[in-house]
Amino acid sequence: MTIDRPQALARLLQLIEPLNRKGIPLREDTSFATDLEFDSLTVMDLVANMEDEWDINIPLNILPDLETIGDVADAIVKLKGES
């Protein structure tokens, strides 16, 4: 089952919000490392939540390329399209 990008982005924002301890406004260009200051444990929690939410496997080797919320939304749409 495919998912469109607006749906993926909206749900992704909901998954990120509880982890957004700094209360940073969440936008597509929000950076996980710079803006949100997520550590590796928080990133792995988010990855696990995304994998459960969309029934996908996110390869660890693509994580360094997923710098912003928009990057992750694109990856979710791509991975769902491949499943």
Side-chain angles (χ1 to χ4, degrees):
M1 184 174 127
T2 60
I3 184 171
D4 68 23
R5 193 173 188 283
Q7 288 175 316
L9 183 62
R11 184 62 184 131
L12 179 59
L13 293 174
Q14 292 173 341
L15 292 175
I16 293 170
E17 190 57 49
L19 305 172
N20 182 10
R21 292 183 178 86
K22 292 178 65 184
I24 299 292
L26 299 177
R27 301 184 316 260
E28 286 194 42
D29 63 346
T30 300
S31 162
F32 292 101
T34 307
D35 298 323
L36 296 172
E37 298 179 4
F38 280 8
D39 60 19
S40 57
L41 183 60
T42 305
V43 169
M44 293 315 294
D45 284 344
L46 179 59
V47 167
N49 290 341
M50 292 185 305
E51 289 180 335
D52 290 345
E53 177 70 24
W54 287 288
D55 193 29
I56 56 175
N57 289 314
I58 299 173
L60 294 179
N61 65 326
I62 72 166
L63 292 181
D65 297 328
L66 306 179
E67 296 178 7
T68 67
I69 292 173
D71 293 342
V72 174
D74 292 337
I76 291 166
V77 171
K78 182 175 187 284
L79 290 167
K80 277 306 287 181
E82 292 172 358
S83 64

